[in-house]
Amino acid sequence: MSNRTFTMIKPDATSKGHTGAILDQMIKAGFSVKAMKWIQLSEAQAGAFYAVHKERPFYGELVEFMCSGPIVAAILEKENAVADFRTLIGATNFKDAAEGTIRKKYATSIGENAVHGSDSDENAKIEADFFFSGLERF
Ligand code: CMP
């Protein structure tokens, strides 16, 4: 997975019609799509995906938000994928994100921050495996 990362376009961005523009920015930045699905998570699924944040004060709000509408989940490939993708999306808090980054352009709060990007190769594999079987990726 070292040249792959995992992303989600979150419900705030899909509901505002930003999915196409966000995917276009990812592809133009050199990422190729190795798996993709458009789905709405159940509360249990969103809770399981973000279980690592279970003890954080924002966990309930995060889970409620992530199952409030459809998301696009994808595996992306590029050399140095995890680090380069985090540069492309910008800081978790869009107020700290660099100009031109996806979160700077589309996020509206620290929670409703338009996209998710894996923070390590190890988590990219865990997160990709959460969403995609072997048959669903290439
Ligand atoms: P993400 O990169 O998907 O990883 C964890 C998510 O938790 C993060 O993006 C935000 O959506 C959310 N999050 C992180 N910090 C906060 C916070 N302080 N308040 C609300 N949501 C947060």
Side-chain angles (χ1 to χ4, degrees):
M1 270 306 277
S2 64
N3 57 352
R4 292 188 171 201
T5 192
F6 171 80
T7 187
M8 291 183 287
I9 301 176
K10 299 186 179 185
D12 56 325
T14 61
S15 68
K16 290 177 193 151
H18 296 317
T19 304
I22 290 173
L23 286 174
D24 191 52
Q25 186 166 348
M26 293 174 183
I27 290 162
K28 286 200 171 108
F31 291 89
S32 57
V33 178
K34 295 295 165 183
M36 180 171 283
K37 60 176 67 165
W38 177 288
I39 53 165
Q40 182 157 359
L41 295 172
S42 67
E43 198 176 321
Q45 289 166 332
F49 183 85
Y50 280 115
V52 65
H53 295 305
K54 207 167 186 150
E55 304 308 323
R56 309 289 285 274
F58 56 82
Y59 177 72
E61 179 189 325
L62 174 62
V63 169
E64 188 183 342
F65 163 60
M66 287 304 295
C67 60
S68 66
I71 61 151
V72 175
I75 298 172
L76 301 175
E77 187 172 84
K78 182 185 180 294
E79 209 176 291
N80 200 33
V82 167
D84 285 3
F85 191 72
R86 285 174 74 81
T87 301
L88 179 71
I89 65 178
T92 302
N93 187 345
F94 75 107
K95 289 182 180 161
D96 303 326
E99 237 16 88
T101 58
I102 292 174
R103 284 173 170 159
K104 189 70 172 185
K105 283 159 67 171
Y106 303 110
T108 51
S109 71
I110 188 165
E112 303 202 4
N113 61 354
V115 285
H116 168 80
S118 305
D119 63 3
S120 64
D121 288 344
E122 186 191 6
N123 283 337
K125 181 177 175 357
I126 292 168
E127 292 170 2
D129 290 348
F130 183 92
F131 276 89
F132 298 102
S133 72
L135 282 174
E136 294 172 315
R137 58 179 97 181
F138 64 95

